[in-house]
Amino acid sequence: MSLLTILHHPDPRLRQKAQPVTVFDAALQTLIDDMFETMYDAPGVGLAATQVGLALRLAVMDCSEDKDKPQPMVIINPEILDPDDRVEMEEGCLSVPGIADKVQRYNRLTLRAFDRNGQPFELAAEGLLAQAIQHEIDHLDGKLYIDYLSALKRERITKKLAKARRA
Ligand code: ZN
């Protein structure tokens, strides 16, 4: 396994719209393992393929509260059904390091996706897991959570991170 490089905002590759995964082969399994290793190393609760420069509709997540009991989860070609109960949640992102802010998310939803072997599944999610699913699907659509903040806040964050990249 190997660690992948996580792209940071304002890298334009984070704005790509990802394409559906159609082949569930050995190369995909290696990519998924590398994405898990990269996410746990960061550490973070989710990592989308677009964050490592691959425009594929794939993300890995682990929203377990107890780090001794990991709950690795792979979502491929994910869709959200029946989103409900909009609430304000604190959010951060590995591609927007060192920054967190509050955004509106649905507290409950049903996820429809494929697992790493190409098997379809549905899952009822709420709280942190529901939030992470929305966050990761946004990545696959080329969106970042900072897009929901005011233009002024977003501009401040972009300037700060652009400066950090040059340093
Ligand atoms: Zn993110």
Side-chain angles (χ1 to χ4, degrees), residues 46 51 92-95 135-136 139 144-145:
Q51 290 179 277
C93 177
L94 294 176
S95 293
H135 181 107
E136 298 313 322
H139 274 303
L144 297 173
Y145 84 89

Side-chain angles (χ1 to χ4, degrees), residues 11-25:
D11 192 306
R13 287 170 289 178
L14 290 167
R15 299 306 188 169
Q16 298 181 89
K17 196 165 164 42
Q19 300 303 308
V21 173
T22 53
V23 182
F24 294 79
D25 59 1

Side-chain angles (χ1 to χ4, degrees), residues 75-148:
I75 62 171
I76 295 175
N77 305 343
E79 285 174 78
I80 288 172
L81 310 173
D82 309 322
D84 191 24
D85 186 18
R86 243 167 129 68
V87 291
E88 197 168 57
M89 294 177 167
E90 177 95 359
E91 199 151 314
C93 177
L94 294 176
S95 293
V96 190
I99 289 157
D101 214 322
K102 290 193 166 78
V103 296
Q104 296 274 328
R105 293 291 188 190
Y106 292 105
N107 193 41
R108 277 191 300 276
L109 56 85
T110 300
L111 167 73
R112 179 183 286 171
F114 292 86
D115 69 12
R116 61 188 298 163
N117 301 310
Q119 295 302 312
F121 68 95
E122 278 191 18
L123 175 87
E126 63 175 88
L128 177 63
L129 181 58
Q131 180 185 19
I133 289 166
Q134 291 163 87
H135 181 107
E136 298 313 322
I137 293 178
D138 273 355
H139 274 303
L140 304 182
D141 292 328
K143 283 191 261 174
L144 297 173
Y145 84 89
I146 55 171
D147 298 350
Y148 302 116

